[in-house]
Amino acid sequence: MTVRRDFREPARPRSDVVIGREELMAGARAQLVGGGSVLVHGPAGIGKSTVLRALAAECAEGVRTVLRCSATESESHLPFLALADLLGLVVDEVASQLPTPQRTALESALTGRGESTLQRDGLALRLAVLSTLRALAARGPVLIVADDLQWLDPASTELLGFAARRLGDTPVRMLCAVRTQTEPHGQEHDRYLRAAPPDTLAVRVNPFSRAQVAQLLDHRGYTDLPRSTVRDIHRTSGGNPLFALELGRALFESTTPPSPGEPLPVPTSLRTLVLNRLGALSPEARRTLLVASAGARPTPALLRAAGRENAEAETAQAAALGLLVTERDAPVVRFAHPLISAALYAEASAQERRAAHAALSTAASDPIERARHLALATTGRDPQVADRLGEAAAAARDRGAPSVAAELGLLAARHTPVDAVPGPHERRLQAAADALTAGETDFARDIAHEVLDHATDPSDRVRAWMIVIDAAGHAMAEVDAVFPQALADAGDDPGLLTLVHYQLAWRAVLVEGDFDRAREEGALAADLAARAGDRRNELLALAFQAQTETLMGHPNAPATIKRALKEPQDPRVACDHNGAGAVRFRWLIMSDQLGEARKTISALLREVRRRGMVEAEVHFLRGLAETELRAGHCGRALDLARESLRLARDTGIGEAASAMLTSLAEAAGGEVDRALALAREAVARAEEDGDVLYLSRALAALGHAELVAGDASGTVRSLRRVRELEAGLGIVDPARGRWHGDLAEALVAVGEPAEAQDVIDDTRTRALRLGRESVLAVLDRAEALVRAARGETDTAARQLASAQDRLAKLGYGLEEARAAYALAGLRTQRPGPTSYDEAARLFRRCRAMPWLRQVETAMVTGPARPSLAGAALDILAATERQVAALVMEGATNREIAARLFISVKTVEATLTRVYRKLGIRSRVDIVRLAAGHRSG
């Protein structure tokens, strides 16, 4: 493991910023707003107090009196201390309202004078607390905030419980936090609920996910920790925020980061916290636990094989002390918290650790595990140990565990003599490649830079440069300076030049947006690879060339795909996200072969999951989600897209692309606000990365979300940019983004039917040449709306019905439903009954919830109509009615243009049509005509 040392001293931001608790906070907030009480519970360090403070700050604004107490363990034996904290500063406000016996008992308890006790003054004191709370509540709502409820003195707890059970509808709410065990047996928090009102909501604060731990560390200033280190912090801390921060601080302060395979350094503060029961262990039991902490999945049998003869008795002793968790049906020796294992290991001396690993290197049954323990038990360079580690890394790679392979590869490099074959640099580069496969891009980049700092061989250096470029992902502009250095190191070696020109092909697309240049570089890389006899990279270059030609609508695309699929194949390239299998999937989905596309992408996804190829998994999850979205399976698409986005955020791979696809899925089957937020995030990331290719796709997603949200003008702005970008990029195939129908529809909505028809005509020409049937059907749907805007209602209805039928036959369920919705809306403009039932049925079948909500609204309220009524309304198109209505309000042409997001010229042309249809000559006549209808 490598930890960068160049990050700055952490800032000291507020410690009570709430991270990753949105759902918990929302539930608790709703309970408090509704007049209820909340008990927040969970283990030490999990963030209960942070949640409590945040909720209290929110609720305090709506109450008159806030009563607070926060006990400590050392104070828990002092009677009435918590009661004094709660009521000491406010009791004088209401003391005069209490009966004398109650006032006397309460004053005695709060001041310590008179030696009040629950035994002697019990009923009077209980009634005094209840009366005080009622008196305070009579002046306005009261909020009681009690942290660390487990340390409240028993007397105060009993008094609070008595009052809480009798407050009824009195406006007194309680917000409490209490420590419970990590894995409570039974409902441990129930006994604390007795100190709260009967309707109290108990909410458990759960451990953080890896992404939330990363966000927390970033918030506290630990911004440059590699993802692999964050992963280890998450695993070791068990998701506990306090533990994670302490581990992050220890890494920052450590001058010697842990070597590959070694646990994280555990700071003294945490060792004291988790190991305070170690003193009760016998020395032999402690040694047994050390061996268990060094093992991957220790069992009593493994511990006995490692020389711990009394393993069962010693682990039972540790379990009795709460250090281990015993499970009846599982033989594995499991620590009560991962931090206990890490702290045990950190406490041991280097000699004790090596002895534990040496014992496990012969006891473990798995060859990968044996090799790892042998490495950690050995010091110095040893070619035999290095070879065994290299073999173990290959086995881990074949098992689909590339992150394990990367760790073993670095251990192998550490034990490899300088003059060995393969050498230490070659082993490191393979480890970096494994780290990339596992999605640990920061880890891979650090390894590559370590090689570049010491390597002189051109092959090692070029391969290291390629790792640096690959780790940049879509942000290739950030590594522009690498390319000249890589070309210089490659010299005239065709095999090394293949690697560089393949990356230059990607750069041409992502940074320059030049598809012609990208195709040339891809073809050159394929030729160089063939000259070098490098079939693997030849296949990758051919796949890239095929993908580029597909997007360009180049006639050679099918032939290049066939070349990329020709034998011999490389198994890993076949399922690579940039390989021929992925290109074939893209061709299938663009060619409307949804069934075959689903079968292809599902097989690819299964294979990359088996191999542990995380980057490819992110890509193929998106591909499968896109396929389901096209087929109208919106719920399934949304689940897959969200899974892809979670994985992308965890690994830092393809976040913009996953946000873009998830935005489309949310707009189809989830929440429109979420769709808008994700699309804007994707646009921002693509712009930040200088990734013009994904910028166009992100803007297309934004335009679609804006259309679903009813923001036609926003859709026009976003999709006009997409049109301009794709024209500059040379993207010809309209099946790539499928945004053209959305743009035409939005243009009609804002009163620009001429531009809408231009978009349709231009796109139809290309779609006809490439045979994109679904695109043509969507264009017909959009053209029907153009015709309807021109008053050609009957023709529009026939075209919509035809488009709906064709989309149904192609299997595009959501697009079919949209055509049915447009047809129902069109029929509302003509006399006679109107029904949205068909559209509702189709949207419901697709689980297209945002669209279904639109239909249900239209079924109840009908479409919005201008105030101009009667026969005149029926002969005007939608935009014409809107313009006429604004004329009646006295709006000028410029004001109408601003209100409807159209040009003044369009307003003038629309008014000309209105005059002709209504048989009038001026704006004044519109007002007169409307007045005549009203008086009639």
Side-chain angles (χ1 to χ4, degrees), residues 613-782:
M613 300 170 68
V614 177
E615 184 172 6
E617 182 180 356
V618 174
H619 281 263
F620 294 155
L621 275 169
R622 285 202 306 269
L624 185 55
E626 182 182 353
T627 307
E628 300 296 357
L629 196 57
R630 300 282 172 236
H633 304 154
C634 299
R636 169 73 171 148
L638 185 58
D639 290 342
L640 289 163
R642 286 173 174 172
E643 184 181 354
S644 170
L645 184 59
R646 282 194 298 271
L647 190 56
R649 295 209 194 285
D650 281 349
T651 60
I653 294 173
E655 291 185 74
S658 291
M660 175 273 298
L661 196 280
T662 309
S663 170
L664 291 173
E666 291 281 357
E671 297 294 334
V672 179
D673 288 345
R674 175 92 173 131
L676 288 165
L678 286 167
R680 290 177 182 128
E681 176 192 336
V683 169
R685 285 183 177 275
E687 288 178 332
E688 183 182 345
D689 292 344
D691 183 349
V692 291
L693 185 63
Y694 263 104
L695 177 58
S696 68
R697 298 207 65 182
L699 284 166
L702 178 58
H704 180 73
E706 289 166 334
L707 183 70
V708 179
D711 182 6
S713 59
T715 300
V716 170
R717 283 193 300 271
S718 297
L719 297 186
R720 276 174 175 164
R721 282 188 68 191
V722 177
R723 193 182 188 193
E724 182 180 336
L725 278 170
E726 291 202 353
L729 287 166
I731 295 175
V732 171
D733 197 329
R736 183 251 184 178
R738 298 177 183 268
W739 48 266
H740 314 77
D742 285 351
L743 176 55
E745 183 177 331
L747 285 166
V748 171
V750 301
E752 298 285 357
E755 185 182 347
Q757 190 64 54
D758 177 66
V759 170
I760 292 166
D761 292 343
D762 175 61
T763 309
R764 181 179 282 139
T765 300
R766 290 178 281 130
L768 281 167
R769 179 171 65 81
L770 296 168
R772 303 303 190 222
E773 291 298 326
S774 63
V775 174
L776 290 167
V778 168
L779 291 174
D780 279 357
R781 185 184 70 203

Side-chain angles (χ1 to χ4, degrees), residues 256-307:
T256 55
S259 300
E262 290 185 351
L264 296 178
V266 179
T268 303
S269 58
L270 290 187
R271 293 188 205 180
T272 303
L273 178 65
V274 301
L275 298 180
N276 54 8
R277 288 163 286 185
L278 265 184
L281 280 178
S282 67
E284 289 300 312
R286 185 163 178 159
R287 277 191 281 272
T288 295
L289 259 61
L290 174 60
V291 176
S293 72
R297 288 180 59 82
T299 63
L302 177 66
L303 295 175
R304 286 196 304 272

Side-chain angles (χ1 to χ4, degrees), residues 531-550:
R531 281 169 47 195
D534 183 350
R535 181 61 175 165
R536 178 183 184 280
N537 283 302
E538 182 186 6
L539 290 170
L540 283 171
L542 285 170
F544 175 87
Q545 183 182 343
Q547 181 82 315
T548 306
E549 290 172 349
T550 297

Side-chain angles (χ1 to χ4, degrees), residues 368 393-405 437-438 572 607-614 617:
I368 294 176
R397 198 175 304 121
D398 290 340
R399 290 187 194 178
S403 60
V404 176
T437 301
R572 289 185 68 80
E607 182 62 15
V608 299
R609 280 174 166 166
R610 187 185 72 81
R611 292 176 175 271
M613 300 170 68
V614 177
E617 182 180 356

Side-chain angles (χ1 to χ4, degrees), residues 304-326:
R304 286 196 304 272
R308 308 311 304 163
E309 297 177 358
N310 298 316
E312 281 88 349
E314 288 159 357
T315 54
Q317 182 187 0
L321 291 169
L323 296 167
L324 298 178
V325 175
T326 56

